[in-house]
Amino acid sequence: LPTIQTMVGLRIKQLRAEKGMSQEAFAYGIGMARTYFAEVETGKRNVSIKNLNRIVDGLGVSFKDFFDSEFFDNVAH
């Protein structure tokens, strides 16, 4: 199974793509370094809850909607 970091990153990427924004434009828009954001999106960095909140707010979704995705259906409980 992919790691939770990878799944969170894929979900961020999916929602960002739906908004039609580049990594750079999105990261700039939420006041986050593009390099940091890129590492979160690719699952290479463990994002903090505080930064995940900034990202989710920037995506315009709730935490419930963010995590209500097929990406998280196989997460071990």
Side-chain angles (χ1 to χ4, degrees):
L1 287 173
T3 67
I4 188 68
Q5 284 176 217
T6 301
M7 291 186 291
V8 166
L10 288 170
R11 181 65 170 151
I12 292 167
K13 184 175 183 176
Q14 176 191 43
L15 293 169
R16 178 184 56 77
E18 288 174 6
K19 293 179 73 69
M21 297 185 77
S22 68
Q23 277 185 347
E24 186 173 17
F26 184 79
Y28 178 80
I30 62 169
M32 190 172 282
R34 188 205 58 80
T35 53
Y36 172 83
F37 179 76
E39 289 179 352
V40 168
E41 199 175 81
T42 57
K44 293 178 183 165
R45 184 175 288 260
N46 191 15
V47 65
S48 69
I49 294 297
K50 182 178 177 182
N51 283 334
L52 183 58
N53 189 58
R54 287 171 63 191
I55 292 167
V56 169
D57 282 350
L59 292 168
V61 297
S62 66
F63 267 104
K64 180 185 181 303
D65 289 339
F66 180 84
F67 285 106
D68 187 15
S69 167
E70 69 278 1
F71 286 117
F72 303 105
D73 287 347
N74 296 318
V75 177
H77 296 13

